[in-house]
Amino acid sequence: MTQLTLDLNSVVKLSEEQFYQLCQANPDLKLERNANGDLIVRLPTGGETGRTNSKINLQLALWNEQTQLGEVFDSSTGFHLPNGADRSPDASWVTKTRWDVLTPEQREKFLPLCPDFVIEILSPSDRLTKTQKKMQEYMNNGCQLGWLINRRNKTVEVYRPQQRPEVLDKPDSLSGEKVLPGFVLNLKIFWH
């Protein structure tokens, strides 16, 4: 099991600031919060998932350094979504335009927006249905493109606004389409 969900609403309803302070007071935990206010405690991932995540972030960051079209974030970055959820995708990207309008104070806390692009890597103990719901939550909150990478089944679910997810079987690469122009994620190294 890589996560625990706690319903705190019957005891306390945490404000955005209280949730942020809770995360700051417990830096060894990766905490998220869904739109209902349930606290989600994410446990550390295994070595293969962490290695995959690192390689994906590297490819995304190198593309972004060349294009300077936005900002790349790793799995420790919190986003306060418009629906009230606080999420931390495995990899994410925000356009330069949206980043530039954030105040210095907003940049220091959980970012008050939904990323334009997200990647979630399904860990061996993650539940597919929960992660699919999380991907749909990103889409419902303004994300323009999302990839759910399932190493176990060697598939990728591609999420786009107001469309059903497209399931790709063992793709060699993924295109960033119009959202990440010119970005191509090499996946050959992950399907061993």
Side-chain angles (χ1 to χ4, degrees):
M1 173 179 286
T2 60
Q3 75 177 33
L4 303 168
T5 303
L6 303 170
D7 179 356
L8 299 178
N9 290 321
S10 62
V11 179
V12 65
K13 182 140 178 98
L14 296 175
S15 69
E16 184 179 345
E17 181 61 28
Q18 288 171 321
F19 177 70
Y20 178 78
Q21 293 301 325
L22 178 66
C23 293
Q24 296 305 301
N26 296 281
D28 294 335
L29 296 176
K30 183 176 178 183
L31 301 174
E32 290 185 331
R33 187 170 57 157
N34 66 22
N36 297 329
D38 297 334
L39 187 64
I40 301 164
V41 182
R42 307 266 330 239
L43 304 175
T45 62
E48 282 297 328
T49 300
R51 185 175 76 93
T52 301
N53 193 0
S54 180
K55 289 183 179 189
I56 287 171
N57 267 293
L58 175 64
Q59 289 183 56
L60 184 58
L62 288 173
W63 166 82
N64 194 64
E65 283 300 307
Q66 292 175 348
T67 64
Q68 297 292 307
L69 293 176
E71 296 296 335
V72 174
F73 302 94
D74 69 7
S75 63
S76 62
T77 305
F79 291 88
H80 183 70
L81 305 183
N83 71 348
D86 294 286
R87 297 295 192 173
S88 299
D90 289 323
S92 56
W93 179 82
V94 172
T95 64
K96 183 170 179 23
T97 305
R98 293 179 73 217
W99 173 255
D100 287 347
V101 299
L102 296 175
T103 66
E105 294 78 23
Q106 289 173 316
R107 292 178 182 186
E108 288 298 326
K109 293 190 174 187
F110 296 154
L111 299 177
L113 51 79
C114 184
D116 295 283
F117 170 71
V118 297
I119 298 175
E120 289 287 352
I121 302 166
L122 193 70
S123 298
S125 57
D126 282 345
R127 283 204 210 126
L128 179 60
T129 55
K130 280 191 174 187
T131 309
Q132 288 170 326
K133 286 180 183 176
K134 187 176 178 183
M135 293 298 292
Q136 194 57 56
E137 181 178 51
Y138 292 132
M139 294 299 114
N140 294 343
N141 279 274
C143 186
Q144 298 301 303
L145 181 65
W147 298 336
L148 171 53
I149 299 173
N150 186 334
R151 291 183 302 109
R152 178 177 43 232
N153 295 342
K154 298 182 180 178
T155 60
V156 176
E157 293 182 18
V158 180
Y159 288 77
R160 298 175 186 94
Q162 300 169 357
Q163 295 182 29
R164 295 190 127 183
E166 177 184 7
V167 180
L168 304 175
D169 185 37
K170 200 178 176 182
D172 288 340
S173 62
L174 293 169
S175 165
E177 303 175 5
K178 293 180 182 178
V179 178
L180 306 165
F183 178 60
V184 177
L185 179 66
N186 177 3
L187 287 171
K188 290 179 194 175
I189 58 176
F190 303 120
W191 310 133
H192 48 72

